[in-house]
Amino acid sequence: MHFLFKTRYEQDIALFKHGGQRFWYAALAVALLAAPWLLSEYTLSQITFIGIYAIVCLGLMLLAGFTGQVSLGHAGFLAMGAYTEAYLQANGWPFVISLPLAALVAGITGVMIGLPALRVKGLYLSIATLAFGFILEQAVVSTEAITGGNAGMQLGKLVIAGIDFDDGSNFYYLVTFIAVLCVLGVVNLLRSPTGRAFVAIRDSEVSAQSMGINLAHYKTVAFALSAALAGIAGALYAHKIRFITPDQFGFLQSIELLMMVVIGGLGSIQGAIFGPAFWFVVQQLIVTGKDWLPEALGQQTGLQPTIFGIILVAIVLFEPLGLYGRWLKFRTFLEIFPFYRKGMFRRQKSYMKSERMK
Amino acid sequence: MTTPLLEAVNLSVHFGGLKAVNDVSFDVWPNEVFSLIGPNGAGKTTIFNLISALYRPTAGEVRFEGEVISRMPPHVVARHGIARTFQNIELFEHATVLQNLLVGRHCHRHTGWWQDLLFTGSVRRAELEFRRQVEEVIEFLDLQHYRDSMVAGLPYGVRKVVELARALAMRPRLLLLDEPSSGLNTEETEDMGFWIEDIKEDLGITVVMVEHDMSLVSRVSDRVLALNLGEVLTLGTPEEVQAHPGVIEAYLGGTADV
Ligand SMILES: Nc1ncnc2c1ncn2[C@@H]1O[C@H](COP(=O)(O)OP(=O)(O)O)[C@@H](O)[C@H]1O
Ligand SMILES: [Mg+2]
């Protein structure tokens, strides 16, 4: 176990808390750089997808996991990003400008969808965002002149500074680079006053206000940033798929995104990456495992949603902190072996108000 | 000083037919400890909620340094230098003690979210300065041991102190304490008494406190306002108020929970 002897306040705001962390993140960086040489084209493509989904999940984590505003309409923001990118590219805009614009358009949509959050909370907010998600999907269908409606929209070749980014490994590098920037941005937010204001709003709105936090302002910022991240992911998604239709951004997509975040572990940045990674791995396992199952089971249509549903229920019941929480426990177990005891992570049950009576 | 720090002027709030606070007026002067007492349901917490603008008065107003604050949004009132604690403890449960206290510095931030996103030099400098200021509070209230603990795992007595610390981290000019000793054992209550004295003497912060423990009230208060059923019974020194026949009757006749 690491016992950190802190000698300077800087240590608490440093990106890496100790040398070990720096080592592992450096190792991860090397692995990410080397991946195109080590992995098959198919695997690399799956990892690219994980990167894209990690960006959306990061945004959703910021909103649901850190600010406590659950959104069931995130696929709508993904659509805004994807269609903005497709439209701008078709009109000859370069990627370095169209990507930020995709983020901006999605961010502005986020501000609008966040408006109900200033009035309603919890379940009612979720339903409001759900409705907005449907409206956005319909809007895409009906603005046929721009989006091609149900017929969909084809994206052109992605070329930046003369380099072909439709190529698998180039596109992988692009996605990884952008994902890393997004992670850094969110980490920065969370170690500064804005992130603390988000957490304060999540945990107690009354006392957040009484500490001088403007609820309306920070909820709006949270929605805007979350949607902007989804917009970035949407633009990358459009290039990855190369052909976008409204039904890719429906209600089910929103639900899946939320499930990824919950499975990864609400309230942790790592969870936003673990979630989609786990999702794709399990999906792969299901596809491969299908052939091994008895036909009656393997060929069932609802197999995949059922399995994910069961996993979700199990996580909510047994590991509310998600995969990241599980990983933390496992790591502690290794570090302090053999001193780990069951229940070490259990929080004290709610306090007794009548301690005085004892 | 000729103007009071805080003035409640003919303050009333009605919930449906219930007059929770009815035509209450009082002044709080700089650097005093002013206590509100009264049986349960007397309207003490409601008065706090009126001061911090969580409730809007049905009639009357609250002034802070002569300025009407009862029509401002709560976060603006906080920025004027009014901090508070809650009767049922409202901490940020899934954050560390340190993070809770740093939220206390929120009013004093100058950077915007776009700067935070990039963690610019000014954000870094401000963070280090906030940290230094928060450490002073941690030292003042002896919380060094709990600095990195999650609030969700702390015992009740410690939470109470953390909430006080978070309010102090705001460096307020007026501190509202809602039942600071409730749920504490005798020893912890003793400490709380010392701290309130130090907050007044050393930090020069004016304190308005709701409290049931009469020995704590007598020990630290300069003046006491007794309430019953939303109305003022009497105002005076702790001794005067305790000897007042109406107060004795309110406690004995009503819900005796002192
Ligand atoms: N938001 C509210 N809605 C309705 N009634 C309220 C509300 N807040 C307080 N009250 C009522 O006002 C009265 C005074 O409550 P309170 O100020 O909490 O009393 P206390 O003096 O014990 O702190 C109580 O009867 C309470 O039920
Ligand atoms: Mg009360």
Side-chain angles (χ1 to χ4, degrees), chain A residues 37 48 74 87 112 131 135 148 152 172 223 293 306 328 330 354:
Chain A
W37 282 283
T48 309
H74 249 60
Y87 179 77
M112 292 187 314
I135 294 172
Y172 159 82
F223 262 96
L293 286 175
T306 311
L328 281 184
F330 178 64
S354 51

Side-chain angles (χ1 to χ4, degrees), chain A residues 155-175:
Chain A
L155 275 98
K157 220 174 174 46
L158 178 60
V159 178
I160 308 169
I163 302 168
D164 174 14
F165 273 92
D166 271 2
D167 167 72
S169 60
N170 282 353
F171 192 67
Y172 159 82
Y173 280 128
L174 180 70
V175 167

